[in-house]
Amino acid sequence: MKTTPLCASNLPGVRPMADDPKNASRAQWDRAAPGWNAHGALIGAWLARATEAMLSMAGIGPGSRVLDVAAGAGEQTLMIARRVGPSGSVLATDLSPAILALAKDNAQSAGVSNVQFQVADGEDLQVEPASFDAVVCRLGLMLFGDPLRGLAEMHRALRLGGHVCTMVFSQPQHNPCITILMSTALQHAGLPAPNPGAPGGLLSLGRPGLTDELFAAAGFQDVATTQLNAPFRMPSAKAYLDFVRTSASPIQQILARLDEPSRERAWTEMEEKLSVYATPWGWEGPNELLLTAGRR
C-alpha cells in the first residue's frame, strides 16, 4: 500500500509553499519589505554599535567604493554613504526587488546621491571583478543557501588589498529569542527542529570558527572574528513580537504554512515564552553577533 509522507504540506491547517527555496525567500522578503522598512529606526538603534564596528573592520572611509550585500531597506547603506562622502560610492544589492525599491526611496528622501541599487542574488552578484575597496553584509550571509559561494563572490568583487566584514548571529545559546521564535514556529507548523547549522538558517553560521573557515576557503587573508553583544530593547515582549510579525521574514515564512487560528496560537505561545526577558525598565532580549573581517 502506498503511504503519504508526513510533511508540512499535508498537515491539518497547513498550506504548501513554493518548492524553490530561493524564489520562496525572495517572495517572502518582498512581502516583509514594508514592515522591515517601517522599523528602520528601531533596527538601526538595535544594531548601531555593531554596524559602526562592521564598517570600521571593513576599512571604510572617505572615498571608499563599497558593496553592500543583502542591503535590505538600506538603513546601513545610508551610514556607509555618509562615511565615504561625495568622493566615495556605494552599490546596494538585495535579492528582493521590493525591499531594494524602498532602500532607493530612503536614499532619495535623505538626499544621498552616491548610492546605486542593483537587484542581485548574493551568491551571484553580477558585478565587475576587483571593482570595490570594501564589501559588507549585515545579517545576510547566514541566510545564504551556500555562504561559501557568497563569500567567493565578495572576494571576486574586491580589489587586491580590499577588505570585507560580515555580521551574523552566533550560537543558539547566546541568541535565545531566536531559538524561541524558531522552535515555537516549527512546532506549530508540525516541522522537525533542524540542525542549527543547516544552511540558510538564522543561526547557521554561529559555530565557533566556522566563519573563519569559510573566509579562508574563499581566499581571504588576515581573517578574524569578534563577538559583540547586541541586546534588543523594547517596551514589552508584545512590542518585540509586533516587530517580528511584520519584519522577520524567516519566521513569517514558517508560519505562512499555517491557517490564521494556528498562526495566532503560535504567536501567543511565543509571547508567553519571551516574557521571561521582561525587566523593571522594559523588555531586553539577548543577542550575540559575530563580526568576521578579512582581506583579499
Side-chain angles (χ1 to χ4, degrees):
M1 181 178 68
K2 185 177 180 180
T3 60
T4 302
L6 182 62
C7 63
S9 60
N10 53 48
L11 287 169
V14 177
R15 298 194 301 270
M17 295 193 67
D19 292 331
D20 185 338
K22 190 88 66 175
N23 287 337
S25 179
R26 180 185 293 106
Q28 188 60 57
W29 277 111
D30 280 347
R31 289 190 290 270
W36 186 266
N37 184 56
H39 290 94
L42 175 66
I43 296 166
W46 167 39
L47 296 175
R49 186 167 71 99
T51 302
E52 289 289 353
M54 178 183 72
L55 303 188
S56 295
M57 290 170 70
I60 296 172
S64 295
R65 296 164 297 165
V66 182
L67 175 61
D68 186 5
V69 178
E75 179 268 328
Q76 77 287 341
T77 308
L78 298 184
M79 293 177 63
I80 299 168
R82 295 184 182 105
R83 181 181 274 228
V84 302
S87 61
S89 63
V90 188
L91 176 63
T93 69
D94 201 277
L95 181 66
S96 163
I99 205 165
L100 205 60
L102 292 170
K104 185 175 182 179
D105 289 343
N106 291 336
Q108 291 175 342
S109 298
V112 173
S113 59
N114 58 344
V115 182
Q116 293 182 314
F117 302 88
Q118 178 176 308
V119 176
D121 181 349
E123 297 171 18
D124 185 17
L125 288 168
Q126 299 293 313
V127 297
E128 291 295 319
S131 54
F132 295 93
D133 301 309
V135 181
V136 294
C137 183
R138 188 179 80 170
L139 295 185
L141 185 64
M142 69 273 185
L143 300 178
F144 288 15
D146 188 346
L148 177 56
R149 182 176 173 183
L151 287 169
E153 277 289 277
M154 296 178 200
H155 185 274
R156 184 183 66 83
L158 278 172
R159 64 167 175 78
L160 187 64
H163 291 79
V164 63
C165 188
T166 66
M167 180 192 303
V168 301
F169 291 108
S170 72
Q171 295 173 282
Q173 63 268 33
H174 299 309
N175 292 279
C177 298
I178 293 176
T179 62
I180 287 171
L181 292 171
M182 292 295 294
S183 63
T184 306
L186 289 167
Q187 180 183 5
H188 280 260
L191 298 173
N195 180 340
L202 286 167
L203 303 172
S204 61
L205 298 182
R207 177 173 65 80
L210 177 57
T211 51
D212 298 64
E213 294 167 11
L214 291 171
F215 268 58
F220 289 108
Q221 307 294 319
D222 302 329
V223 177
T225 293
T226 298
Q227 296 175 330
L228 189 66
N229 287 324
F232 207 129
R233 296 182 176 93
M234 297 287 283
S236 65
K238 182 181 184 303
Y240 173 68
L241 280 180
D242 287 344
F243 159 73
V244 173
R245 291 180 74 140
T246 58
S247 307
S249 177
I251 306 301
Q252 291 177 359
Q253 192 169 342
I254 296 169
L255 294 181
R257 301 167 180 263
L258 302 175
D259 57 29
E260 183 62 27
S262 299
R263 281 199 299 269
E264 288 306 313
R265 285 193 291 272
W267 290 118
T268 298
E269 184 174 339
M270 289 178 197
E271 183 177 349
E272 292 172 355
K273 291 179 176 179
L274 288 167
S275 293
V276 69
Y277 297 111
T279 72
W281 51 88
W283 184 87
E284 186 172 305
N287 287 281
E288 185 180 77
L289 306 172
L290 300 178
L291 302 183
T292 303
R295 176 182 56 84
R296 179 174 178 181

